[in-house]
Protein backbone atom coordinates (compact mmCIF):
# COMPACT_ATOMS: atom_id res chain seq x y z
CA UNK A 1 0.00 0.00 0.00
CA UNK A 2 1.26 3.46 -0.87
CA UNK A 3 0.71 6.00 1.88
CA UNK A 4 -2.34 8.15 1.24
CA UNK A 5 -1.78 11.73 2.34
CA UNK A 6 -4.04 14.73 2.74
CA UNK A 7 -2.20 17.93 3.70
CA UNK A 8 -3.20 21.59 3.92
CA UNK A 9 -1.28 24.46 5.53
CA UNK A 10 -2.29 28.12 5.24
CA UNK A 11 -2.45 31.31 7.29
CA UNK A 12 -5.78 31.71 9.06
CA UNK A 13 -8.32 33.49 6.94
CA UNK A 14 -6.34 32.82 3.77
CA UNK A 15 -7.38 29.44 2.33
CA UNK A 16 -6.49 30.65 -1.15
CA UNK A 17 -2.86 31.25 -0.14
CA UNK A 18 -1.68 27.84 1.06
CA UNK A 19 1.87 27.28 2.22
CA UNK A 20 1.55 23.58 1.44
CA UNK A 21 -1.11 21.25 0.07
CA UNK A 22 -1.40 17.70 -1.18
CA UNK A 23 -4.66 15.93 -1.95
CA UNK A 24 -6.22 18.42 0.44
CA UNK A 25 -9.79 17.34 -0.35
CA UNK A 26 -9.14 13.58 -0.05
CA UNK A 27 -11.39 12.10 2.64
CA UNK A 28 -9.54 9.73 4.97
CA UNK A 29 -10.17 8.19 8.40
CA UNK A 30 -9.08 10.69 11.05
CA UNK A 31 -9.35 8.63 14.25
CA UNK A 32 -9.79 10.88 17.30
CA UNK A 33 -9.74 14.17 15.40
CA UNK A 34 -13.50 13.89 14.93
CA UNK A 35 -13.80 14.57 18.65
CA UNK A 36 -13.32 18.22 17.68
CA UNK A 37 -16.92 18.32 16.48
CA UNK A 38 -18.13 16.99 19.85
CA UNK A 39 -16.05 19.56 21.72
CA UNK A 40 -17.43 22.34 19.52
CA UNK A 41 -21.05 21.39 20.19
CA UNK A 42 -20.37 20.90 23.90
CA UNK A 43 -18.80 24.35 24.13
CA UNK A 44 -21.72 25.85 22.19
CA UNK A 45 -24.22 24.33 24.63
CA UNK A 46 -22.19 25.57 27.60
CA UNK A 47 -22.02 29.10 26.16
CA UNK A 48 -25.77 29.00 25.48
CA UNK A 49 -26.51 27.99 29.08
CA UNK A 50 -27.90 24.62 28.00
CA UNK A 51 -25.24 22.64 29.87
CA UNK A 52 -23.65 23.50 33.20
CA UNK A 53 -19.90 22.80 32.98
CA UNK A 54 -20.00 21.94 36.68
CA UNK A 55 -22.58 19.18 36.18
CA UNK A 56 -21.17 15.84 37.26
CA UNK A 57 -21.23 12.89 34.87
CA UNK A 58 -20.21 9.30 35.52
CA UNK A 59 -19.12 6.52 33.23
CA UNK A 60 -21.22 3.42 32.83
CA UNK A 61 -20.11 -0.11 31.94
CA UNK A 62 -21.12 0.68 28.36
CA UNK A 63 -18.72 3.64 28.29
CA UNK A 64 -15.73 1.75 29.69
CA UNK A 65 -12.67 1.41 27.45
CA UNK A 66 -9.16 0.26 28.27
CA UNK A 67 -7.24 2.35 25.75
CA UNK A 68 -6.49 6.04 25.12
CA UNK A 69 -6.90 8.28 28.11
CA UNK A 70 -6.61 8.44 31.88
CA UNK A 71 -10.11 8.16 33.29
CA UNK A 72 -10.17 4.36 32.98
CA UNK A 73 -7.27 4.10 35.46
CA UNK A 74 -8.55 6.73 37.91
CA UNK A 75 -10.43 5.87 41.10
CA UNK A 76 -12.86 8.72 40.49
CA UNK A 77 -16.01 7.39 38.80
CA UNK A 78 -17.61 10.79 38.18
CA UNK A 79 -16.22 14.12 36.96
CA UNK A 80 -17.56 17.53 36.06
CA UNK A 81 -18.37 18.02 32.39
CA UNK A 82 -15.58 20.61 32.23
CA UNK A 83 -13.03 18.15 33.59
CA UNK A 84 -14.17 15.44 31.18
CA UNK A 85 -13.68 17.90 28.30
CA UNK A 86 -10.22 18.73 29.62
CA UNK A 87 -9.37 15.02 29.56
CA UNK A 88 -10.44 14.83 25.92
CA UNK A 89 -8.31 17.84 25.07
CA UNK A 90 -5.29 16.70 27.05
CA UNK A 91 -5.11 12.95 26.37
CA UNK A 92 -7.92 12.31 23.87
CA UNK A 93 -9.66 10.37 26.63
CA UNK A 94 -11.98 7.81 25.05
CA UNK A 95 -14.14 7.18 28.10
CA UNK A 96 -14.64 10.90 28.60
CA UNK A 97 -15.52 11.17 24.92
CA UNK A 98 -18.23 8.54 25.21
CA UNK A 99 -19.66 10.02 28.41
CA UNK A 100 -19.81 13.50 26.87
CA UNK A 101 -21.21 12.19 23.60
CA UNK A 102 -23.96 10.39 25.49
CA UNK A 103 -24.73 13.64 27.35
CA UNK A 104 -24.66 15.91 24.29
CA UNK A 105 -26.10 13.48 21.75
CA UNK A 106 -24.66 12.29 18.46
CA UNK A 107 -27.56 13.87 16.56
CA UNK A 108 -26.73 17.26 18.09
CA UNK A 109 -23.08 16.83 17.14
CA UNK A 110 -24.08 16.01 13.56
CA UNK A 111 -26.38 19.03 13.43
CA UNK A 112 -23.56 21.25 14.69
CA UNK A 113 -21.27 19.97 11.97
CA UNK A 114 -23.92 20.69 9.35
CA UNK A 115 -24.59 24.17 10.74
CA UNK A 116 -20.91 25.11 10.45
CA UNK A 117 -20.49 23.26 7.14
CA UNK A 118 -17.65 21.20 8.62
CA UNK A 119 -18.10 18.32 6.15
CA UNK A 120 -16.38 16.13 5.25
CA UNK A 121 -15.04 16.34 8.83
CA UNK A 122 -17.49 14.23 10.81
CA UNK A 123 -17.67 12.26 14.05
CA UNK A 124 -19.45 9.08 12.99
CA UNK A 125 -19.85 7.09 16.18
CA UNK A 126 -18.97 6.47 19.80
CA UNK A 127 -15.49 5.12 20.52
CA UNK A 128 -15.53 1.32 20.49
CA UNK A 129 -12.86 -1.24 21.36
CA UNK A 130 -14.13 -3.44 18.55
CA UNK A 131 -16.04 -2.33 15.44
CA UNK A 132 -18.46 -5.00 14.33
CA UNK A 133 -20.09 -3.21 11.42
CA UNK A 134 -22.66 -6.00 11.09
CA UNK A 135 -24.34 -4.45 14.16
CA UNK A 136 -26.78 -1.67 13.21
CA UNK A 137 -25.46 1.77 14.18
CA UNK A 138 -21.80 0.78 14.35
CA UNK A 139 -19.82 2.95 11.93
CA UNK A 140 -16.82 1.60 10.04
CA UNK A 141 -14.53 4.11 11.75
CA UNK A 142 -14.72 6.80 14.43
CA UNK A 143 -14.36 9.85 12.21
CA UNK A 144 -13.43 11.02 8.73
CA UNK A 145 -12.23 14.23 7.17
CA UNK A 146 -9.99 15.90 4.66
CA UNK A 147 -7.03 18.12 5.46
CA UNK A 148 -8.91 21.13 4.11
CA UNK A 149 -11.93 20.41 6.33
CA UNK A 150 -9.67 20.05 9.37
CA UNK A 151 -7.93 23.31 8.48
CA UNK A 152 -11.35 24.93 8.15
CA UNK A 153 -12.24 23.92 11.72
CA UNK A 154 -9.12 25.65 13.04
CA UNK A 155 -9.83 28.68 10.87
CA UNK A 156 -13.33 28.95 12.35
CA UNK A 157 -11.89 28.56 15.84
CA UNK A 158 -9.36 31.34 15.18
CA UNK A 159 -12.17 33.57 13.88
CA UNK A 160 -14.28 33.06 17.01
CA UNK A 161 -17.02 31.12 15.21
CA UNK A 162 -16.25 28.11 17.42
CA UNK A 163 -16.31 28.89 21.16
CA UNK A 164 -12.99 29.79 22.79
CA UNK A 165 -13.54 27.03 25.35
CA UNK A 166 -12.42 24.57 22.67
CA UNK A 167 -9.06 26.32 22.36
CA UNK A 168 -8.63 26.15 26.13
CA UNK A 169 -9.23 22.40 26.10
CA UNK A 170 -6.95 21.80 23.12
CA UNK A 171 -4.13 23.85 24.65
CA UNK A 172 -3.71 20.97 27.13
CA UNK A 173 -2.91 18.38 24.43
CA UNK A 174 0.07 16.25 25.41
CA UNK A 175 0.58 14.64 22.00
CA UNK A 176 3.17 16.70 20.16
CA UNK A 177 4.61 13.68 18.36
CA UNK A 178 3.66 14.56 14.79
CA UNK A 179 3.62 17.93 12.98
CA UNK A 180 3.69 19.73 16.34
CA UNK A 181 7.01 18.11 17.28
CA UNK A 182 8.78 20.70 15.11
CA UNK A 183 7.87 23.57 17.43
CA UNK A 184 10.04 22.17 20.23
CA UNK A 185 7.51 22.84 22.97
CA UNK A 186 7.15 21.11 26.31
CA UNK A 187 4.33 18.61 25.66
CA UNK A 188 3.22 18.92 29.29
CA UNK A 189 3.32 22.73 29.52
CA UNK A 190 2.55 24.80 26.44
CA UNK A 191 -0.61 26.66 27.41
CA UNK A 192 -0.73 30.44 26.88
CA UNK A 193 0.66 30.78 30.41
CA UNK A 194 3.76 28.80 29.44
CA UNK A 195 4.23 29.98 25.84
CA UNK A 196 7.32 31.92 24.95
CA UNK A 197 7.55 32.83 21.28
CA UNK A 198 5.26 30.06 19.96
CA UNK A 199 1.63 29.40 20.91
CA UNK A 200 0.07 26.11 19.81
CA UNK A 201 -3.20 24.25 20.07
CA UNK A 202 -3.66 20.91 18.33
CA UNK A 203 -5.53 17.62 18.16
CA UNK A 204 -4.14 14.34 16.94
CA UNK A 205 -5.65 11.06 15.84
CA UNK A 206 -4.05 7.62 15.90
CA UNK A 207 -5.08 4.20 14.62
CA UNK A 208 -2.80 1.34 13.73
CA UNK A 209 -2.97 2.53 10.11
CA UNK A 210 -3.63 6.25 10.58
CA UNK A 211 -1.76 9.26 11.89
CA UNK A 212 -3.37 12.71 11.81
CA UNK A 213 -2.56 16.10 13.32
CA UNK A 214 -4.41 19.41 13.04
CA UNK A 215 -3.35 22.58 14.78
CA UNK A 216 -3.16 26.32 15.04
CA UNK A 217 0.25 27.96 15.52
CA UNK A 218 0.98 31.58 16.38
CA UNK A 219 4.51 32.99 16.26
CA UNK A 220 6.15 36.29 15.38
CA UNK A 221 2.82 37.83 14.36
CA UNK A 222 1.80 34.97 12.06
CA UNK A 223 -1.18 32.68 12.70
CA UNK A 224 -1.10 29.50 10.65
CA UNK A 225 -3.39 26.49 10.69
CA UNK A 226 -2.22 23.10 9.49
CA UNK A 227 -3.67 19.65 8.90
CA UNK A 228 -1.94 16.44 7.87
CA UNK A 229 -3.54 12.99 7.58
CA UNK A 230 -1.77 9.80 6.56
CA UNK A 231 -3.32 6.38 5.95
CA UNK A 232 -0.73 3.65 5.57
CA UNK A 233 0.11 -0.04 5.87
CA UNK A 234 1.88 -0.68 9.21
CA UNK A 235 2.91 -4.16 8.09
CA UNK A 236 4.86 -2.63 5.21
CA UNK A 237 7.00 -0.51 7.51
CA UNK A 238 5.33 2.73 6.43
CA UNK A 239 4.90 4.24 9.90
CA UNK A 240 8.53 5.40 10.23
CA UNK A 241 8.51 7.47 7.02
CA UNK A 242 5.03 8.78 7.85
CA UNK A 243 6.23 10.13 11.20
CA UNK A 244 9.34 11.56 9.57
CA UNK A 245 7.26 13.42 7.05
CA UNK A 246 4.92 14.72 9.74
CA UNK A 247 7.97 16.31 11.36
CA UNK A 248 9.11 17.69 8.00
CA UNK A 249 5.75 19.39 7.50
CA UNK A 250 6.15 21.00 10.91
CA UNK A 251 9.75 21.97 10.22
CA UNK A 252 8.67 23.79 7.05
CA UNK A 253 6.01 25.73 8.98
CA UNK A 254 8.46 26.63 11.76
CA UNK A 255 11.14 27.74 9.30
CA UNK A 256 8.72 29.96 7.41
CA UNK A 257 7.45 31.54 10.64
CA UNK A 258 10.95 32.22 11.98
CA UNK A 259 12.26 35.72 11.21
CA UNK A 260 15.58 35.86 9.40
CA UNK A 261 18.60 36.49 11.63
Amino acid sequence: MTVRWSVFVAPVGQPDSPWAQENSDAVLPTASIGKLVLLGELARQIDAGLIDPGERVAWTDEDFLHDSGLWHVLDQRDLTIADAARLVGAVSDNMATNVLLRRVGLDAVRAYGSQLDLAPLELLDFVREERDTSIPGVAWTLSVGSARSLWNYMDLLAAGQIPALVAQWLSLDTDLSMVASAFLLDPLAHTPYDADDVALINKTGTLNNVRADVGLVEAHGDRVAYAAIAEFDPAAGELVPVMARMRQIGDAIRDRMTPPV
Side-chain angles (χ1 to χ4, degrees):
M1 174 182 179
T2 302
V3 179
R4 298 180 64 201
W5 283 94
S6 185
V7 178
F8 195 74
V9 181
V12 297
Q14 301 180 49
D16 296 328
S17 301
W19 288 8
Q21 60 179 325
E22 178 181 337
N23 301 321
S24 58
D25 294 318
V27 180
L28 299 174
T30 52
S32 290
I33 283 182
K35 296 171 185 177
L36 289 173
V37 191
L38 167 62
L39 292 180
E41 170 60 8
L42 174 63
R44 185 199 70 79
Q45 290 195 30
I46 290 174
D47 278 2
L50 301 174
I51 286 181
D52 178 359
E55 175 188 334
R56 301 196 74 85
V57 288
W59 58 263
T60 67
D61 291 343
E62 186 177 8
D63 300 314
F64 190 84
L65 294 161
H66 291 90
D67 55 4
S68 176
L70 285 174
W71 200 359
H72 67 287
V73 296
L74 298 182
D75 291 334
Q76 188 68 29
R77 182 79 179 245
D78 67 307
L79 296 171
T80 65
I81 282 179
D83 280 347
R86 292 179 183 115
L87 281 179
V88 176
V91 291
S92 199
D93 196 288
N94 283 339
M95 270 181 37
T97 297
N98 281 354
V99 170
L100 292 174
L101 188 53
R102 179 162 44 81
R103 176 64 177 84
V104 171
L106 186 55
D107 287 343
V109 172
R110 288 170 173 159
Y112 179 76
S114 296
Q115 178 187 357
L116 288 185
D117 197 21
L118 295 179
L121 171 60
E122 185 179 3
L123 180 65
L124 301 175
D125 200 356
F126 288 79
V127 185
R128 302 177 189 273
E129 288 189 321
E130 295 184 7
R131 292 203 164 273
D132 183 352
T133 54
S134 67
I135 300 174
V138 176
W140 68 278
T141 192
L142 179 62
S143 74
V144 295
S146 66
R148 193 183 296 268
S149 66
L150 271 56
W151 180 93
N152 182 55
Y153 184 100
M154 287 297 169
D155 192 49
L156 292 171
L157 183 58
Q161 295 183 53
I162 291 173
L165 268 175
V166 175
Q168 293 178 27
W169 297 331
L170 296 181
S171 71
L172 304 172
D173 191 9
T174 58
D175 184 5
L176 307 187
S177 64
M178 301 184 217
V179 176
S181 66
F183 306 115
L184 307 177
L185 298 171
D186 183 341
L188 302 181
H190 58 276
T191 70
Y193 301 101
D194 309 300
D196 185 8
D197 58 347
V198 176
L200 169 76
I201 60 171
N202 78 310
K203 180 76 188 78
T204 59
T206 298
L207 293 171
N208 66 341
N209 65 331
V210 173
R211 293 294 187 275
D213 189 359
V214 59
L216 180 63
V217 189
E218 184 171 358
H220 312 295
D222 290 325
R223 299 180 79 197
V224 177
Y226 69 81
I229 311 165
E231 184 181 23
F232 57 91
D233 182 358
E238 294 176 338
L239 176 57
V240 171
V242 161
M243 294 299 284
R245 187 173 177 207
M246 286 283 187
R247 174 60 183 252
Q248 290 167 2
I249 292 168
D251 285 341
I253 297 169
R254 185 201 63 222
D255 291 347
R256 188 158 178 174
M257 297 181 82
T258 302
V261 178

